[in-house]
Amino acid sequence: MRRGRAVAAATAVLAVVAGSLALTRLGSGEETGGAKNTGLPPATAPVERGDLRDSAQADGTLGYDKERKINAGAAGTITWTPRTGSTVERNERLYEIDGRPVRLMYGAGPMYRTLKPGDKGRDVEQLERNLAELGYTGFTPDEEYTELTSAAVKRWQKSHDAKRTGKVGPQDITFAPGKVRIKNVGAGVGEQAQPGAPVLETTGSERIVTFRLDVAESRLAKAGTKVTVDLPDGTTASGKVSSVGRTAKPGDDPQDDSPKVTLTVSFDEPDEVDGFDQSPVTVNLTGETRRDVLTVPVNALLALPGGGFGLQVVRGGTTREVKVELGMFAEGRVEVSGGGLREGAKVGVPKI
């Protein structure tokens, strides 16, 4: 995770500021207070007015959603498989065993039994809704497999030159939530298939980015948060956070064991990312925006002896310390207020 300026990083900077201030004063014999000339700083930076955005970057991987395995529904010899990278839609062939196509139908539940008149259940309703979408009607889509359902199945079977039994089983169809993309063929033509053994590895057809985020930074990426993604070819695509994981786990980096959640990003224009798969990308997130505020570089802050933080204001060859209130840290800068600060004023900073 790469933040523009996280609170934890800001705290570390402030600790360094405090130590640096003490050393500077010991070396120069400065005295604090009032508008006394304490010597000019090694460099200055202007107080700026504008918008400050709490941003972050994260490394992600561009791929596809909904990875799953397609298992064989019957024993036999595999006689056809689809091409890796191809897309299979409703009613199209997923694979063939002994020359018999197994077709894709849409549904969240599995195809685990042979359906026939008299059967009831959600799998019946899934099948009936697919038949209705394909134009094989004459029944009311519900959880009961009736003779009217069987008649529609026979018409569907006839359209594919299959034996008209009026029954449908795992040897005929497989359910998936939607159209699938073939990621890998697990068993090739000529190999033996066994019920329940993997034949294909598939994904959904939607392009997504998966990335991990520190739990402490998760406020920047709620579902619906707008993001941009830097693609491998140097272009940028816009999208939004589509899901945020509920379980936090340590990251892969052994030097960073902070808990992280997994997030996914969907694209506004999926066609913009065609041609990339399992590619490294950068996700750019923008959280809170503070508008029309005064900001200074973080390293301009001074830890004041009495507590709090201040700035060394430089004007006309003299300096004075002013106490300020801190706001948001981002982009290497910090929001400041108080001390009579104005846009364009010069404040002391370490020499670069």
Side-chain angles (χ1 to χ4, degrees), residues 280-305:
V281 296
T282 299
V283 181
N284 305 292
L285 304 106
T286 299
E288 180 185 4
T289 298
R290 300 297 297 270
R291 300 192 180 280
D292 194 33
V293 295
L294 295 176
T295 66
V296 297
V298 172
N299 60 358
L301 294 174
L302 302 174
L304 300 179

Short mmCIF file of all heavy atoms in Angstrom, two decimals, residues 280-305:
data_model
loop_
_atom_site.label_atom_id
_atom_site.label_comp_id
_atom_site.label_asym_id
_atom_site.label_seq_id
_atom_site.Cartn_x
_atom_site.Cartn_y
_atom_site.Cartn_z
N PRO A 280 -0.22 -6.82 -13.62
CA PRO A 280 -0.09 -5.89 -12.49
C PRO A 280 -0.57 -4.50 -12.87
O PRO A 280 -0.28 -4.00 -13.96
CB PRO A 280 1.41 -5.90 -12.19
CG PRO A 280 2.05 -6.26 -13.49
CD PRO A 280 1.09 -7.19 -14.17
N VAL A 281 -1.33 -3.87 -11.98
CA VAL A 281 -1.84 -2.52 -12.19
C VAL A 281 -1.72 -1.73 -10.90
O VAL A 281 -1.43 -2.29 -9.84
CB VAL A 281 -3.32 -2.53 -12.66
CG1 VAL A 281 -3.48 -3.22 -14.01
CG2 VAL A 281 -4.20 -3.23 -11.60
N THR A 282 -1.95 -0.44 -10.99
CA THR A 282 -1.95 0.43 -9.81
C THR A 282 -3.33 1.04 -9.65
O THR A 282 -3.87 1.62 -10.60
CB THR A 282 -0.90 1.54 -9.93
OG1 THR A 282 0.40 0.95 -10.05
CG2 THR A 282 -0.93 2.44 -8.70
N VAL A 283 -3.90 0.91 -8.47
CA VAL A 283 -5.21 1.48 -8.16
C VAL A 283 -5.01 2.79 -7.41
O VAL A 283 -4.28 2.84 -6.41
CB VAL A 283 -6.06 0.52 -7.30
CG1 VAL A 283 -7.43 1.12 -7.02
CG2 VAL A 283 -6.20 -0.83 -7.99
N ASN A 284 -5.62 3.85 -7.91
CA ASN A 284 -5.52 5.17 -7.30
C ASN A 284 -6.84 5.51 -6.63
O ASN A 284 -7.89 5.55 -7.29
CB ASN A 284 -5.19 6.23 -8.35
CG ASN A 284 -3.93 5.90 -9.12
OD1 ASN A 284 -2.84 5.91 -8.58
ND2 ASN A 284 -4.08 5.57 -10.40
N LEU A 285 -6.79 5.73 -5.32
CA LEU A 285 -8.00 6.05 -4.56
C LEU A 285 -7.91 7.47 -4.03
O LEU A 285 -6.83 7.94 -3.65
CB LEU A 285 -8.16 5.10 -3.39
CG LEU A 285 -8.19 3.61 -3.69
CD1 LEU A 285 -6.88 2.98 -3.26
CD2 LEU A 285 -9.34 2.94 -2.96
N THR A 286 -9.04 8.12 -4.00
CA THR A 286 -9.12 9.45 -3.42
C THR A 286 -10.20 9.44 -2.35
O THR A 286 -11.35 9.11 -2.62
CB THR A 286 -9.45 10.52 -4.47
OG1 THR A 286 -8.43 10.53 -5.46
CG2 THR A 286 -9.54 11.89 -3.83
N GLY A 287 -9.80 9.77 -1.12
CA GLY A 287 -10.75 9.78 -0.02
C GLY A 287 -11.33 11.16 0.21
O GLY A 287 -11.85 11.80 -0.70
N GLU A 288 -11.16 11.67 1.41
CA GLU A 288 -11.72 12.97 1.77
C GLU A 288 -11.00 14.10 1.03
O GLU A 288 -9.80 14.04 0.78
CB GLU A 288 -11.59 13.18 3.28
CG GLU A 288 -12.14 14.50 3.78
CD GLU A 288 -11.89 14.71 5.26
OE1 GLU A 288 -11.21 13.85 5.86
OE2 GLU A 288 -12.36 15.72 5.80
N THR A 289 -11.74 15.12 0.67
CA THR A 289 -11.17 16.32 0.07
C THR A 289 -11.51 17.53 0.95
O THR A 289 -12.67 17.76 1.27
CB THR A 289 -11.72 16.56 -1.35
OG1 THR A 289 -11.34 15.45 -2.18
CG2 THR A 289 -11.15 17.84 -1.94
N ARG A 290 -10.48 18.27 1.36
CA ARG A 290 -10.68 19.51 2.09
C ARG A 290 -10.48 20.65 1.10
O ARG A 290 -9.40 20.81 0.52
CB ARG A 290 -9.69 19.62 3.25
CG ARG A 290 -9.81 18.49 4.26
CD ARG A 290 -11.16 18.48 4.95
NE ARG A 290 -11.38 19.67 5.73
CZ ARG A 290 -11.03 19.79 7.00
NH1 ARG A 290 -10.43 18.77 7.62
NH2 ARG A 290 -11.25 20.91 7.65
N ARG A 291 -11.51 21.45 0.90
CA ARG A 291 -11.48 22.47 -0.14
C ARG A 291 -11.11 23.85 0.42
O ARG A 291 -11.50 24.22 1.51
CB ARG A 291 -12.84 22.54 -0.85
CG ARG A 291 -13.22 21.21 -1.50
CD ARG A 291 -14.40 21.34 -2.45
NE ARG A 291 -14.74 20.05 -3.05
CZ ARG A 291 -14.11 19.50 -4.07
NH1 ARG A 291 -13.08 20.14 -4.61
NH2 ARG A 291 -14.47 18.32 -4.56
N ASP A 292 -10.32 24.55 -0.39
CA ASP A 292 -9.95 25.95 -0.12
C ASP A 292 -9.34 26.09 1.28
O ASP A 292 -9.81 26.89 2.09
CB ASP A 292 -11.19 26.84 -0.27
CG ASP A 292 -10.81 28.32 -0.33
OD1 ASP A 292 -9.73 28.63 -0.87
OD2 ASP A 292 -11.58 29.16 0.15
N VAL A 293 -8.30 25.31 1.54
CA VAL A 293 -7.62 25.38 2.83
C VAL A 293 -6.17 25.81 2.64
O VAL A 293 -5.60 25.69 1.55
CB VAL A 293 -7.67 24.03 3.56
CG1 VAL A 293 -9.10 23.66 3.92
CG2 VAL A 293 -7.02 22.93 2.72
N LEU A 294 -5.55 26.33 3.71
CA LEU A 294 -4.14 26.67 3.68
C LEU A 294 -3.32 25.44 4.03
O LEU A 294 -3.65 24.70 4.96
CB LEU A 294 -3.84 27.78 4.70
CG LEU A 294 -4.48 29.15 4.44
CD1 LEU A 294 -4.16 30.10 5.59
CD2 LEU A 294 -4.01 29.74 3.11
N THR A 295 -2.24 25.20 3.27
CA THR A 295 -1.39 24.05 3.52
C THR A 295 0.08 24.45 3.44
O THR A 295 0.44 25.42 2.77
CB THR A 295 -1.64 22.92 2.51
OG1 THR A 295 -1.24 23.34 1.19
CG2 THR A 295 -3.11 22.52 2.48
N VAL A 296 0.90 23.66 4.13
CA VAL A 296 2.36 23.82 4.07
C VAL A 296 2.97 22.43 3.96
O VAL A 296 2.32 21.42 4.28
CB VAL A 296 2.91 24.53 5.32
CG1 VAL A 296 2.36 25.94 5.44
CG2 VAL A 296 2.61 23.71 6.58
N PRO A 297 4.23 22.33 3.53
CA PRO A 297 4.90 21.02 3.54
C PRO A 297 4.95 20.48 4.97
O PRO A 297 5.13 21.23 5.93
CB PRO A 297 6.30 21.34 3.02
CG PRO A 297 6.15 22.60 2.22
CD PRO A 297 5.09 23.38 2.93
N VAL A 298 4.79 19.17 5.11
CA VAL A 298 4.80 18.56 6.44
C VAL A 298 6.10 18.87 7.18
O VAL A 298 6.10 19.11 8.39
CB VAL A 298 4.60 17.03 6.33
CG1 VAL A 298 4.81 16.36 7.68
CG2 VAL A 298 3.20 16.71 5.82
N ASN A 299 7.24 18.88 6.45
CA ASN A 299 8.52 19.10 7.14
C ASN A 299 8.74 20.55 7.55
O ASN A 299 9.79 20.89 8.11
CB ASN A 299 9.69 18.60 6.29
CG ASN A 299 9.77 19.30 4.94
OD1 ASN A 299 8.94 20.15 4.61
ND2 ASN A 299 10.78 18.95 4.17
N ALA A 300 7.74 21.42 7.32
CA ALA A 300 7.83 22.80 7.83
C ALA A 300 7.37 22.90 9.28
O ALA A 300 7.62 23.91 9.95
CB ALA A 300 7.00 23.74 6.96
N LEU A 301 6.74 21.86 9.79
CA LEU A 301 6.19 21.90 11.15
C LEU A 301 7.29 21.90 12.20
O LEU A 301 8.31 21.21 12.07
CB LEU A 301 5.26 20.72 11.38
CG LEU A 301 3.97 20.69 10.55
CD1 LEU A 301 3.23 19.39 10.80
CD2 LEU A 301 3.09 21.89 10.87
N LEU A 302 7.07 22.65 13.27
CA LEU A 302 7.95 22.69 14.42
C LEU A 302 7.20 22.17 15.64
O LEU A 302 6.04 22.53 15.85
CB LEU A 302 8.42 24.12 14.70
CG LEU A 302 9.16 24.86 13.58
CD1 LEU A 302 9.41 26.30 14.02
CD2 LEU A 302 10.46 24.17 13.24
N ALA A 303 7.85 21.33 16.43
CA ALA A 303 7.26 20.88 17.69
C ALA A 303 7.58 21.94 18.74
O ALA A 303 8.74 22.17 19.08
CB ALA A 303 7.84 19.54 18.10
N LEU A 304 6.57 22.60 19.27
CA LEU A 304 6.78 23.70 20.21
C LEU A 304 7.07 23.18 21.62
O LEU A 304 6.49 22.16 22.03
CB LEU A 304 5.56 24.61 20.23
CG LEU A 304 5.20 25.26 18.88
CD1 LEU A 304 3.95 26.11 19.03
CD2 LEU A 304 6.37 26.09 18.36
N PRO A 305 7.94 23.86 22.37
CA PRO A 305 8.30 23.40 23.71
C PRO A 305 7.10 23.23 24.63
O PRO A 305 7.06 22.31 25.45
CB PRO A 305 9.24 24.49 24.22
CG PRO A 305 9.79 25.11 22.98
CD PRO A 305 8.69 25.07 21.97
#
